[in-house]
Structures are given as structure tokens and as C-alpha cells.
Amino acid sequence: MPLKPLNSLNPGDTAIIMEFEGNSRLHSRLVEMGVLAGVKVRLIKKTPFQGPLEVKIRSYHLSLRWYDASQILVS
Amino acid sequence: MSEQIPYIALMGNPNSGKTAIFNLLTGMNLKVSNYPGITVEMKRGIALISADKTIEIMDLPGTYSLTPQSLDETIVAQQTLRWMGGKNKPRAIISVVDAANLSRNLYLTSQLLDLEIPVIVALNMMDHIRRRKQDIDSKALQQLLGVTAVIPMSAREKWGIAKLRETIADVHQYTKAQSALQLQIPAEINIQLQPVAEYFTNQCGYSNDLALGQSLRVITQKSALDIYRDQNIVNGDKINKLHELRDQAANEIDKLGMDHHILEATLRYDLLDRVLAENKIIIREEVESVSQSEKADRILTHPWLGPILFITILYAIFQSIFTFASIPMYWIDASIGMVGDYFIRIMPSGILRELLVEGIISGVGAILIFLPQILILMFFLTLMEDSGYMARVSFMMDRIMNKIGLHGKSVMPLMSGYACAIPGIMATRTIDSWKERLVTILVLPLMSCSARLPIYTLMISAFIPKQQIMGIFSLQGITMVVMYFLGTGTAMLIAAIISRFLKEQGRSSFIMELPPYRIPLARSIIRQLYIRGKLFIINAGKIIMAISIVLWFLASFPKSGADGQPATIHQSYAGRIGHAIEPIIEPLGFDWKIGVGLITSFAAREVVVSTLALLYNVEGGGDDIIGITEALKNDINPLTGLSRYTPLVALSIMVFYVYAAQCMATFAIVRNETNSWKWPIYMIIYMTVLAYFGSLVVYQGGILLGYS
């Protein structure tokens, strides 16, 4: 399965996190919250004008910015 | 806190119900008065743990990890660092765990296990789990973690708390956590950790396990090492050496094909996820299942319905502050009048009676009357915060906030600014970008706080006609809403301007949990209202009474003028001061009495109302308490024979107070939070300029348009 950024998913899509790109400060926080390779994620909502996204991961809801989501590769 | 007092630390993820447990344990026994809102600094309370035993509880800010990113997390990291050094350790740590988010919450718990302090796990929100016909084997979890106890509970439904108390009562018997969780560090990485770990063992006296854990942490995140210097634990050449060792190790680890930034979290989660699964402790974490909250969010955070709904809610709140409060305000007003009359009846006339009735009762009474409005406002703000709605507002607003140099997480502090700027400014500690935090702090005092309410209410009820517009909107209510939106809108505009002048420090991000919606607990709302009401009354009692007494003297003396005739209030000290500044404020439509109010209210805005009340009562000097609203309406300018205060003057005064920098406590806290006098001074300057010219435009513009 080819890798694609998290923000390219459609609402309702489920995928597995594979790897991170770029900004590492962000990644340390995400991994501390359990967002790491091999974990399942579902995109719930996108907001207009490339605003933040809402995803469900493990058993909680998380919001993150469009750019940040573009750094997370899923398949 | 002195070294001897035994205490227990309460720690956990944000939204884990930590504060609810703190409240249950301590009841209303807060040691310090806390501002309502999230825990951004350490709260302390006394918990009654058995019939005759109490212990102090320290509530630390919610955090996902001991590695700091934002300021509130730094507070937690610094505290744990002191414990590692053996300083003033708690008897035990209560690690609050949201059972519905087990793995993520246990991440923090697993870090706490390294601290060599007994750990009690409060497995909160078990009501959710049991409602789903699931369970968590707390015995297995306890053995796995090696903690003192794992207590299934629900702070919400109030069960399990008795067991938690019992466990705390025996705290003196507990020994440090003996964790069975051993991080599986690959040998090639372990070799890289050793130089840093050895340095910790030698310089800080850490045990081998702790040194290894800390080396892993500082290699993962430089910020974890920075606090060693900030806390003066390691400094000078030694900290440089440590940095050198750390950077070397980080480099080597990257060369191995591992990213050092995610090292600690990857190792811990690998371990946690594996052992939880092996011991069948994990509850099913299905990302596919759709919760009730998610369904509600289809409307509440809908791309355009959501924002419309939010604005409507705000509008309804501000309007209702005005309409709902009128009846209790009338009662308080009547009671104060009765108290004043009572003292007039029982006391002989003279200076003492004048001071008590004209000074203290009219001054303090004029402020107490606004308690109902402040409580109504607090009620709605608490409701939004406790229900989980505020997090959604942050989510919806992040894009637009980011455009003007703020942050989605600025929303909560800004909204608490409607109650009071001080807790709002402290709540900005959760914003991890320095620039966005600073901009939020600088514009926060423009949010109309509850101290403006007395001024708005007084001016509106005296001068804005009781008219209905289109049958449903009251003109008075709308005027109130306009004042709130004027302040808020200006705050956004100023934020956009200031952020152009501040240098960006890298790209910020917005990583925030959206907790499930919950029906707010009545007891938690009542607690917030109680704390807020108490603060307000203590404030009125202290500042306003002091100012009222001083002002009464200034307004009542000298008793006789230069010509030997009894002096009028104009010849009093206060009158002279007021008349002296009158030329500056005349273009705004203000007279000398307002002038005196501007000076006294520099300490706190609401003082202007008690100042006016006091001046009219001293001037009246009669055997009756004069109602301030009536006094303002009936004040005739002898030169023109016209009313001194008109709707236009009232608007001008309100606009002035929307912008004016008049709150000493705010400047003090800004000084503290920004560590420099520069920012509070900028703040005073820009706000004063805004106030003067805003008011000038309203008054002079109004006159040009033919209003008077």
C-alpha cells in the first residue's frame, strides 16, 4: 500500500500510521500521546480553509492542524 | 511548603478527572483561593482521610508526559525534578488514570514509577467502562505496574473515593513502586545512554534506574535538560558537559536509524501496548466506533452551523446577564438601603455615622449589588468549560485565531477573561508557542471582565431606554452585548497588529484532545460559583472599603471653606482633585466626579461605581441613602440647567471602560508571567490611548451628529 499524508484521507476513512516527516518537536508530543507507527487512526472531520482536523486514535479524539497532519504518513 | 509537612501529589493527564478527585478529597477546604478554570498552577487542599486524620494534597497541572513543552508542563517537570533530587518528596503520588484511555494515561503513570515514590493509581471513569459491559482487571494491573494499589472508581458517580481515602490513610506504610515494567532498551542504544546515565549518577546521586530513565528523557527532548539549569541542579561547566554528552548520544542514536526525538515514547508504548495485551488488561480500543459526542459534533462543530451557534450562545449569555439579574439585584439594593437606614436611626448624627453610612455602606453596597450578574456569567462560563464545549470552540476557532497571530488554545483564556483577566492570563500557560502566548496575554484585558459589569449595568439602566426591538430584543440588553463585542473585536484587531511586530519562533502546532461531552456536575458548578463569589466579596471588602474610607475623608474635608462658610463638596480635597483634571476629560463628556472615579478605579475598575455613589451621598449629606442610578439621572448642571449625564455621556463612559487599563492586579500578573515590566507598560499605554480616543470619538462624534 502506498504511503499518503493523513490530511489526504476523507472523513470516515481508517488507516494505519506508518511514519513522520519534518518537524520533530511536534512528533515528540504526538508520540507521547500514543500517535505512533502501527497505530490505527480514523479521520472524523476536516474544517474549512484547511483548518484543523479531528481524528480518532486509540480511544480518544484528537485535533491537529492541516500542516501537522500532512507530516504524518499513513497507509 | 516547609520540608516537614507530609503531603500527597495528585497527577494525571488533562481531562482524566483529576480536578474532580481533588474536589472530592478536599471538599471546600482550599488552602489558597484559586481562580476558577483549569489547574494551571499547583493547587493545595486539605483532605480528610479518616475520622481524625487529614493530609495535604498537591494538585499538579494535567500533563501527558514529564517531558515539558508548554509552561504548565514545565511546572510539573520542575517539581518532579526536585523530587528526584530527594527534596520534599510527597508521601505518595496518586496517578489519576482515565480508564477509557488506558494506554495513553498509563504512559504518564509509567514515567511516575521511576521516581522512587509510592504510586496509587486512581482508575477513574470506570462508570464508562462498566456501562459498556466491560471491565479492567485492577489486580492484574496493580501487579503489572508494581504500584501500591489500583483503585477502580468514578469521581463522577462518587464511588471508589472511600477506598482511595482508606488507601491514603495508610500511606506511611508504603514503599516506592516496584515496577515489573522494565523498558526493553536495545543493547546498541543502551551503550549510547551509558555516558549520560553515569554523569547523572555521579553528579546528581541518582540510582542506576533513575539515571537511565533520565538519560533517555533528556536525549529524547532537550527541554528536559534545560530545566536542570533553570532549577540550578546542574550548572556552569557541568551543564555544558552534560549537553555535550547528550548531543553526542542523540547523534549516535540517529545514526542507528532511530529518531532520538521519539525514543522514549516509542520504547514505553511498545512495552505498554505489549504487556497490556499479554495480560489481557487492555479494553478494546476501536477507532471505528462512533460515540454520542461524535454525533453531537455533527451539529456543534459543523463547518458553518457550529460558529453561528457559538456566536448565538455568546449573545444569549451577555443578554441574559442583564435580564436574569434584575430581580436579585433589586433585593440586594433594597437590603443595603435598609441597613443604611437602620444605622441612621440607631446612631447619633456626626462624623462616625457619616463615615459608616455615606462612606462604607454606600461605597461597598454599590458594588455588592453586582454579585448576581457575576455569578450568572460564571455559571455559563463554567457550563461551557465543564461540558467539553470550550475545547470544540478552540477547535473551530483555531484557523481564524492563527490568522491573527493567536492560537486555538487562546480561546479558553480569552473566554475566562470575561470573568477576570487574571485567571485568563494564567491559563495561557497551556499555549506552547511563546509568541502566541504573549499576544494572548497582551490583548486579554480587552475582554470585558466582570469588573466592567457594574459600570455597564449602571450606565445602561440609568440612561438606555427600556425599549423592545422587533419584539424580542431589549435595547438595554443589546447595548450590553455591543460593549462585550466591542472589547472582543478590538482584542482580535490588536492581536493582528501586535503579531506583525513580533518575530515568529518556528511554526506552532495545535495538538489538543477533544474530550467527550459530559453533563456538568452540579457540585462542581456550585463550587466554582462559591469560589468566584467569595473572591468578589473579599475584594469588595478589602480594596473597596479601603478606598471608600480614604475617599470619604477626601470628599468630606475640609469641612469649612476659606470664607468660613460650610464647604461644598467642590471645595473638598476630592473635589479639587476632580476639578483639576476636568479640562483633560471634558472633551469626553466627563465631569469632575467621573474624574475622581477614573483615579480611584485605577486600582480596580468597579471602584468607579462606589466612588460615584459615595460622592453623591456625601454631597447629599442627608438622612437617607441615595440610590446611585437616581442620583445620576437627577444630576442637573447648574450652568446649563440640563441633565449632566445623557445617553451619549453614558456611552462615552462605557466605551472608555471597555478599553481603559485600570486594574493593578492585572499588570502585576502580566509582569510575573512575562518576566519584564516592558509588557505591562506597553499594555497600559496602548489601552489608555484606545480608551481616550475611543471615548473622544463617541462623544464628539455624537455631538456632531446632533445628539447631546
Side-chain angles (χ1 to χ4, degrees), chain B residues 354-364 548-549 552 614 618:
Chain B
E354 279 174 35
L355 172 66
L356 187 69
V357 175
E358 292 168 5
I360 297 171
I361 296 178
S362 77
V364 175
S548 294
I549 292 171
W552 177 82
L614 191 145
V618 172

Side-chain angles (χ1 to χ4, degrees), chain B residues 206-227:
Chain B
Y206 289 174
S207 69
N208 288 339
D209 284 350
L210 183 58
L212 196 66
Q214 278 303 101
S215 60
L216 190 60
R217 186 154 308 141
V218 300
I219 287 169
T220 300
Q221 281 261 303
K222 245 196 168 95
S223 61
L225 190 50
D226 292 336
I227 49 177

Side-chain angles (χ1 to χ4, degrees), chain B residues 96-155:
Chain B
V96 181
V97 167
D98 171 5
N101 270 304
L102 201 58
S103 54
R104 198 201 65 209
N105 278 262
L106 288 180
Y107 179 79
L108 177 67
T109 310
S110 81
Q111 290 185 324
L112 299 178
L113 296 177
D114 295 346
L115 297 175
E116 297 167 342
I117 295 170
V119 173
I120 301 165
V121 172
L123 195 58
N124 195 22
M125 311 216 183
M126 280 302 285
D127 49 323
H128 287 265
I129 304 294
R130 298 204 171 148
R131 218 172 297 133
R132 281 189 266 153
K133 300 272 182 291
Q134 292 181 315
D135 208 353
I136 293 173
D137 185 344
S138 53
K139 196 78 203 150
L141 188 59
Q142 188 226 325
Q143 279 165 3
L144 183 68
L145 299 173
V147 293
T148 302
V150 172
I151 301 162
M153 60 179 296
S154 163

Side-chain angles (χ1 to χ4, degrees), chain B residues 33 35 363-365 367-368 371 374 419-423 449-452 454 530-548 601-607 610 662-666:
Chain B
S33 55
Y35 287 99
V364 175
I367 285 303
L368 277 186
L371 186 62
I374 285 158
C420 175
I422 292 160
C449 65
S450 52
R452 267 99 150 189
Y530 169 77
I531 293 171
R532 167 57 53 185
K534 197 169 107 181
L535 263 178
F536 178 77
I537 290 172
I538 290 172
N539 209 24
K542 281 198 292 210
I543 301 183
I544 295 171
M545 187 176 299
I547 291 179
S548 294
S601 67
F602 191 75
R605 294 177 177 90
E606 65 270 37
V607 175
S610 52
Q662 292 197 298
C663 178
M664 232 99 92
T666 300

Side-chain angles (χ1 to χ4, degrees), chain B residues 264-533:
Chain B
E264 183 186 1
T266 310
L267 291 174
R268 279 193 195 276
Y269 271 108
D270 281 351
L271 175 69
L272 274 173
D273 286 341
R274 186 170 52 77
V275 295
L276 288 176
E278 278 170 5
N279 291 277
K280 299 193 171 53
I281 292 171
I282 198 72
I283 48 155
R284 289 171 69 80
E285 295 183 336
E286 289 289 354
V287 295
E288 284 89 355
S289 68
V290 175
S291 62
Q292 296 293 324
S293 294
E294 193 178 330
K295 287 177 193 154
D297 269 339
R298 284 178 192 155
I299 295 165
L300 293 173
T301 61
H302 185 274
W304 52 271
L305 270 181
I308 292 175
L309 205 64
F310 173 57
I311 302 284
T312 313
I313 291 172
L314 273 191
Y315 181 93
I317 292 173
F318 298 142
Q319 167 115 24
S320 68
I321 292 172
F322 204 84
T323 38
F324 291 175
S326 59
I327 293 171
M329 283 174 72
Y330 173 78
W331 292 337
I332 297 178
D333 192 22
S335 320
I336 292 164
M338 273 158 55
V339 172
D341 291 343
Y342 173 75
F343 282 108
I344 288 172
R345 254 188 292 119
I346 63 158
M347 285 174 75
S349 64
I351 286 195
L352 201 61
R353 191 180 87 176
E354 279 174 35
L355 172 66
L356 187 69
V357 175
E358 292 168 5
I360 297 171
I361 296 178
S362 77
V364 175
I367 285 303
L368 277 186
I369 233 187
F370 300 100
L371 186 62
Q373 294 192 319
I374 285 158
L375 293 182
I376 290 173
L377 177 73
M378 275 317 294
F379 172 77
F380 286 116
L381 286 178
T382 313
L383 210 60
M384 285 204 276
E385 175 65 24
D386 284 9
S387 63
Y389 182 64
M390 207 74 105
R392 267 71 181 184
V393 177
S394 303
F395 172 66
M396 288 191 285
M397 304 292 280
D398 181 61
R399 184 80 197 112
I400 183 160
M401 293 304 250
N402 196 223
K403 265 261 178 294
I404 59 174
L406 298 172
H407 192 280
K409 286 184 186 165
S410 306
V411 172
M412 219 290 294
L414 288 173
M415 297 279 293
S416 16
Y418 286 134
C420 175
I422 292 160
I425 287 167
M426 294 201 297
T428 61
R429 290 177 182 178
T430 56
I431 304 171
D432 53 11
S433 141
W434 173 83
K435 181 196 148 185
E436 288 163 353
R437 174 163 178 259
L438 182 64
V439 178
T440 311
I441 290 175
L442 289 179
V443 301
L444 213 140
L446 288 175
M447 309 300 282
S448 281
C449 65
S450 52
R452 267 99 150 189
L453 261 177
I455 304 155
Y456 297 164
T457 310
L458 176 65
M459 292 300 152
I460 290 173
S461 56
F463 298 104
I464 305 297
K466 271 203 173 114
Q467 259 175 26
Q468 294 290 317
I469 298 174
M470 298 190 305
I472 44 167
F473 302 109
S474 89
L475 186 60
Q476 293 189 326
I478 288 178
T479 312
M480 185 71 118
V481 175
V482 166
M483 290 307 145
Y484 272 100
F485 283 175
L486 181 66
T488 311
T490 312
M492 302 295 127
L493 196 71
I494 298 285
I497 295 168
I498 299 178
S499 60
R500 282 179 188 275
F501 293 99
L502 289 173
K503 276 195 201 73
E504 196 86 50
Q505 287 192 331
R507 183 188 289 273
S508 72
S509 54
F510 174 68
I511 297 173
M512 196 180 73
E513 184 184 355
L514 297 171
Y517 286 113
R518 296 195 175 106
I519 296 168
L521 290 172
R523 61 172 189 270
S524 122
I525 292 179
I526 290 168
R527 186 189 167 95
Q528 297 281 42
L529 294 185
Y530 169 77
I531 293 171
R532 167 57 53 185

